[in-house]
Amino acid sequence: MTHTLFIAGDSTAALKGAAEKPMTGWGEYLQAHFGSSIEVDNRAINGRSTKTFLAEGRLAHIAHDMQAGDYMFIQFGHNDGKIDDPARYTNPDLDYRSNLIQFIECARGRGGVPVLLSSVSRRRFTVDGHLDPLAVGPYPEAMKQVAAQTQTPLLDIFEASQQLYNTLGEHESKKLFIHLPDKTHPNYPNGIIDDTHFSDVGARQIADLVANAIHQSNAPSLSRLRQHLKGDFL
Protein backbone atom coordinates (compact mmCIF):
# COMPACT_ATOMS: atom_id res chain seq x y z
CA MET A 1 0.00 0.00 0.00
CA THR A 2 1.30 3.46 -0.94
CA HIS A 3 1.28 6.36 1.51
CA THR A 4 1.94 10.01 0.78
CA LEU A 5 4.47 12.19 2.57
CA PHE A 6 3.38 15.81 2.25
CA ILE A 7 5.90 18.61 2.78
CA ALA A 8 4.47 21.84 4.17
CA GLY A 9 7.15 24.50 4.22
CA ASP A 10 8.96 27.41 2.61
CA SER A 11 11.51 28.06 -0.13
CA THR A 12 14.28 26.04 1.51
CA ALA A 13 12.26 22.90 0.70
CA ALA A 14 10.21 24.02 -2.31
CA LEU A 15 10.48 22.83 -5.89
CA LYS A 16 12.32 25.43 -7.97
CA GLY A 17 11.40 26.39 -11.52
CA ALA A 18 13.77 26.72 -14.45
CA ALA A 19 14.13 30.48 -13.90
CA GLU A 20 15.39 29.90 -10.35
CA LYS A 21 17.94 27.17 -11.03
CA PRO A 22 20.55 26.23 -9.92
CA MET A 23 18.72 27.08 -6.67
CA THR A 24 17.18 23.84 -5.39
CA GLY A 25 14.91 22.93 -2.50
CA TRP A 26 15.80 19.96 -0.31
CA GLY A 27 12.30 18.57 -0.84
CA GLU A 28 13.21 17.89 -4.46
CA TYR A 29 15.51 15.07 -3.35
CA LEU A 30 13.61 13.42 -0.54
CA GLN A 31 11.82 10.97 -2.83
CA ALA A 32 15.17 9.37 -3.70
CA HIS A 33 15.38 8.05 -0.12
CA PHE A 34 12.17 6.04 -0.40
CA GLY A 35 10.88 3.20 -2.49
CA SER A 36 7.65 3.32 -4.45
CA SER A 37 5.59 2.66 -1.30
CA ILE A 38 6.10 6.28 -0.18
CA GLU A 39 5.17 9.13 -2.51
CA VAL A 40 6.60 12.53 -1.61
CA ASP A 41 4.18 15.36 -2.41
CA ASN A 42 6.10 18.60 -1.99
CA ARG A 43 3.67 21.42 -1.16
CA ALA A 44 6.34 23.79 0.17
CA ILE A 45 6.11 27.25 -1.43
CA ASN A 46 8.62 30.08 -1.72
CA GLY A 47 8.22 32.92 0.73
CA ARG A 48 5.62 31.39 3.01
CA SER A 49 5.43 31.50 6.77
CA THR A 50 3.05 29.45 8.86
CA LYS A 51 0.75 32.47 8.79
CA THR A 52 0.56 32.90 5.02
CA PHE A 53 0.50 29.15 4.35
CA LEU A 54 -2.63 28.96 6.48
CA ALA A 55 -4.17 32.19 5.16
CA GLU A 56 -3.85 31.02 1.56
CA GLY A 57 -5.64 27.76 2.34
CA ARG A 58 -2.62 25.61 1.58
CA LEU A 59 -3.01 23.49 4.70
CA ALA A 60 -6.67 22.97 3.82
CA HIS A 61 -5.61 21.73 0.37
CA ILE A 62 -3.26 19.19 1.96
CA ALA A 63 -6.01 18.10 4.34
CA HIS A 64 -8.34 17.55 1.38
CA ASP A 65 -5.84 15.13 -0.19
CA MET A 66 -4.51 13.51 2.96
CA GLN A 67 -5.49 9.93 3.77
CA ALA A 68 -5.16 7.90 6.95
CA GLY A 69 -1.57 6.73 7.34
CA ASP A 70 -0.07 9.60 5.35
CA TYR A 71 2.64 11.89 6.74
CA MET A 72 2.87 15.67 6.99
CA PHE A 73 6.39 17.09 7.32
CA ILE A 74 6.17 20.65 8.69
CA GLN A 75 9.14 23.05 8.40
CA PHE A 76 8.86 26.83 8.74
CA GLY A 77 10.62 29.66 10.53
CA HIS A 78 12.63 31.63 7.97
CA ASN A 79 9.72 33.82 6.90
CA ASP A 80 7.94 33.74 10.25
CA GLY A 81 10.85 35.81 11.50
CA LYS A 82 10.38 38.68 9.02
CA ILE A 83 9.29 41.22 11.61
CA ASP A 84 9.14 44.02 9.01
CA ASP A 85 6.46 42.12 7.06
CA PRO A 86 3.23 41.90 9.11
CA ALA A 87 1.62 39.60 6.52
CA ARG A 88 4.20 36.92 7.30
CA TYR A 89 5.61 37.63 10.74
CA THR A 90 4.62 35.45 13.68
CA ASN A 91 5.64 35.85 17.29
CA PRO A 92 7.72 32.76 18.14
CA ASP A 93 6.10 32.48 21.57
CA LEU A 94 2.53 33.02 20.43
CA ASP A 95 1.07 32.62 16.94
CA TYR A 96 4.01 30.63 15.55
CA ARG A 97 3.32 27.97 18.15
CA SER A 98 -0.45 28.08 17.75
CA ASN A 99 -0.06 27.85 13.97
CA LEU A 100 2.15 24.79 14.28
CA ILE A 101 -0.48 23.20 16.50
CA GLN A 102 -3.03 23.81 13.73
CA PHE A 103 -0.85 21.85 11.32
CA ILE A 104 -0.44 19.04 13.86
CA GLU A 105 -4.13 18.81 14.67
CA CYS A 106 -5.04 18.92 11.00
CA ALA A 107 -2.82 15.94 10.20
CA ARG A 108 -4.06 13.96 13.17
CA GLY A 109 -7.64 14.80 12.33
CA ARG A 110 -7.16 13.16 8.95
CA GLY A 111 -5.62 10.06 10.50
CA GLY A 112 -2.15 11.13 9.41
CA VAL A 113 1.19 11.49 11.17
CA PRO A 114 2.50 15.04 11.70
CA VAL A 115 6.27 15.46 11.88
CA LEU A 116 7.96 18.72 12.90
CA LEU A 117 11.29 19.60 11.28
CA SER A 118 13.18 22.44 12.94
CA SER A 119 14.21 25.13 10.45
CA VAL A 120 17.19 24.23 8.31
CA SER A 121 19.93 26.65 9.33
CA ARG A 122 21.11 29.61 7.35
CA ARG A 123 24.85 29.65 6.72
CA ARG A 124 25.79 32.39 9.16
CA PHE A 125 29.23 32.46 10.74
CA THR A 126 30.16 34.97 13.42
CA VAL A 127 33.28 37.14 13.25
CA ASP A 128 35.17 34.58 15.33
CA GLY A 129 34.35 31.79 12.88
CA HIS A 130 31.58 30.06 14.81
CA LEU A 131 28.11 29.31 13.54
CA ASP A 132 25.42 31.64 14.78
CA PRO A 133 23.12 29.63 17.09
CA LEU A 134 20.35 32.12 16.23
CA ALA A 135 20.74 31.81 12.46
CA VAL A 136 16.95 31.33 12.25
CA GLY A 137 16.21 33.25 15.42
CA PRO A 138 14.21 31.57 18.22
CA TYR A 139 12.04 29.53 15.85
CA PRO A 140 13.87 26.18 16.02
CA GLU A 141 13.67 26.22 19.82
CA ALA A 142 10.00 27.24 19.74
CA MET A 143 9.26 24.28 17.47
CA LYS A 144 11.07 21.90 19.82
CA GLN A 145 8.87 23.10 22.65
CA VAL A 146 5.72 22.57 20.57
CA ALA A 147 6.93 19.06 19.72
CA ALA A 148 7.33 18.26 23.42
CA GLN A 149 4.02 19.86 24.34
CA THR A 150 2.05 17.98 21.68
CA GLN A 151 4.10 14.75 21.71
CA THR A 152 4.85 15.18 18.02
CA PRO A 153 7.93 13.60 16.41
CA LEU A 154 10.70 16.15 15.86
CA LEU A 155 13.51 15.91 13.33
CA ASP A 156 16.12 18.44 14.47
CA ILE A 157 17.29 19.63 11.07
CA PHE A 158 18.52 22.93 12.47
CA GLU A 159 21.08 21.16 14.63
CA ALA A 160 21.96 18.63 11.91
CA SER A 161 22.52 21.35 9.30
CA GLN A 162 24.64 23.40 11.69
CA GLN A 163 26.78 20.34 12.34
CA LEU A 164 27.15 19.85 8.56
CA TYR A 165 28.25 23.46 7.98
CA ASN A 166 30.64 23.29 10.91
CA THR A 167 32.21 20.09 9.58
CA LEU A 168 32.69 21.60 6.14
CA GLY A 169 33.96 24.89 7.51
CA GLU A 170 33.26 28.48 6.57
CA HIS A 171 34.75 28.23 3.08
CA GLU A 172 33.65 24.77 1.91
CA SER A 173 30.12 25.23 3.21
CA LYS A 174 29.59 27.94 0.58
CA LYS A 175 29.22 25.15 -1.99
CA LEU A 176 25.92 24.14 -0.38
CA PHE A 177 24.41 27.54 -1.16
CA ILE A 178 23.86 29.87 -4.11
CA HIS A 179 27.13 31.74 -4.51
CA LEU A 180 27.59 32.77 -8.13
CA PRO A 181 29.92 35.42 -9.58
CA ASP A 182 28.73 37.92 -12.19
CA LYS A 183 27.93 36.56 -15.64
CA THR A 184 28.30 32.88 -14.74
CA HIS A 185 24.63 31.91 -14.95
CA PRO A 186 21.88 33.43 -17.12
CA ASN A 187 19.39 33.42 -14.24
CA TYR A 188 21.72 35.56 -12.11
CA PRO A 189 23.62 37.83 -14.53
CA ASN A 190 24.70 40.13 -11.70
CA GLY A 191 25.80 37.24 -9.51
CA ILE A 192 24.32 36.24 -6.18
CA ILE A 193 25.44 35.50 -2.63
CA ASP A 194 22.65 33.67 -0.84
CA ASP A 195 23.29 31.83 2.44
CA THR A 196 19.69 30.69 2.87
CA HIS A 197 18.87 28.86 -0.37
CA PHE A 198 20.62 25.76 -1.58
CA SER A 199 22.58 24.72 -4.60
CA ASP A 200 21.84 21.33 -6.09
CA VAL A 201 24.66 19.87 -3.99
CA GLY A 202 23.32 21.52 -0.85
CA ALA A 203 19.74 20.38 -1.41
CA ARG A 204 20.90 16.80 -1.82
CA GLN A 205 22.87 16.97 1.42
CA ILE A 206 19.99 18.47 3.39
CA ALA A 207 17.67 15.75 2.05
CA ASP A 208 20.28 13.26 3.26
CA LEU A 209 20.11 14.86 6.72
CA VAL A 210 16.32 14.52 6.75
CA ALA A 211 16.52 10.85 5.76
CA ASN A 212 19.19 10.23 8.42
CA ALA A 213 17.04 11.94 11.03
CA ILE A 214 14.12 9.66 10.14
CA HIS A 215 16.41 6.65 10.37
CA GLN A 216 17.75 7.71 13.76
CA SER A 217 14.38 8.68 15.23
CA ASN A 218 12.96 6.44 17.92
CA ALA A 219 9.45 7.91 17.62
CA PRO A 220 6.97 5.01 17.48
CA SER A 221 4.82 6.86 14.94
CA LEU A 222 7.77 6.89 12.50
CA SER A 223 8.57 3.18 12.79
CA ARG A 224 6.68 2.31 9.61
CA LEU A 225 8.22 5.20 7.68
CA ARG A 226 11.70 4.08 8.71
CA GLN A 227 11.00 0.70 7.13
CA HIS A 228 10.46 2.36 3.75
CA LEU A 229 13.82 4.15 3.72
CA LYS A 230 16.43 2.89 1.30
CA GLY A 231 20.17 3.41 1.18
CA ASP A 232 22.98 3.64 3.71
CA PHE A 233 22.81 5.82 6.78
CA LEU A 234 25.29 7.34 9.19
Side-chain angles (χ1 to χ4, degrees):
M1 183 177 181
T2 300
H3 288 289
T4 302
L5 189 163
F6 295 94
I7 301 175
D10 57 29
S11 58
T12 58
L15 175 68
K16 299 296 184 286
E20 298 172 280
K21 292 296 184 179
M23 188 182 293
T24 309
W26 65 258
E28 298 184 54
Y29 286 114
L30 192 59
Q31 183 68 68
H33 291 282
F34 294 100
S36 58
S37 53
I38 296 293
E39 179 182 348
V40 174
D41 187 341
N42 189 357
R43 303 287 182 95
I45 298 290
N46 292 354
R48 271 47 176 196
S49 66
T50 56
K51 186 176 182 178
T52 51
F53 202 93
L54 289 168
E56 293 169 1
R58 296 182 183 278
L59 178 60
H61 291 157
I62 294 176
H64 179 269
D65 296 335
M66 195 170 197
Q67 303 292 320
D70 289 346
Y71 300 86
M72 187 190 297
F73 277 25
I74 304 155
Q75 186 181 78
F76 291 95
H78 291 84
N79 297 305
D80 287 82
K82 294 186 181 297
I83 196 166
D84 57 343
D85 184 353
R88 291 190 285 181
Y89 174 72
T90 63
N91 185 305
D93 295 321
L94 298 172
D95 43 341
Y96 180 65
R97 298 186 189 212
S98 63
N99 289 349
L100 290 176
I101 291 171
Q102 284 191 57
F103 282 84
I104 292 166
E105 291 179 345
C106 175
R108 288 177 174 161
R110 298 292 297 170
V113 180
V115 183
L116 295 173
L117 287 71
S118 58
S119 313
V120 60
S121 182
R122 294 185 175 96
R123 178 187 168 275
R124 182 180 293 168
F125 285 84
T126 61
V127 292
D128 56 1
H130 297 295
L131 281 165
D132 183 356
L134 293 175
V136 195
Y139 294 91
E141 182 59 33
M143 180 176 275
K144 290 180 187 180
Q145 293 178 16
V146 171
Q149 173 190 342
T150 60
Q151 297 185 315
T152 302
L154 173 78
L155 306 180
D156 195 352
I157 306 305
F158 179 80
E159 178 62 25
S161 56
Q162 286 227 322
Q163 289 181 10
L164 173 63
Y165 309 160
N166 189 56
T167 298
L168 291 173
E170 188 168 359
H171 179 71
E172 286 298 308
S173 61
K174 292 179 182 179
K175 296 177 181 177
L176 304 180
F177 293 86
I178 300 297
H179 283 230
L180 298 171
D182 294 357
K183 301 177 182 178
T184 58
H185 197 284
N187 285 341
Y188 305 95
N190 298 320
I192 184 172
I193 297 176
D194 184 335
D195 286 319
T196 297
H197 298 101
F198 300 107
S199 65
D200 186 84
V201 169
R204 290 177 186 270
Q205 292 206 38
I206 300 302
D208 289 350
L209 295 183
V210 174
N212 272 308
I214 298 167
H215 175 71
Q216 294 170 2
S217 173
N218 58 9
S221 57
L222 294 184
S223 60
R224 186 179 61 198
L225 186 60
R226 288 194 295 271
Q227 295 172 10
H228 295 291
L229 286 166
K230 63 181 185 180
D232 298 325
F233 296 94
L234 301 176

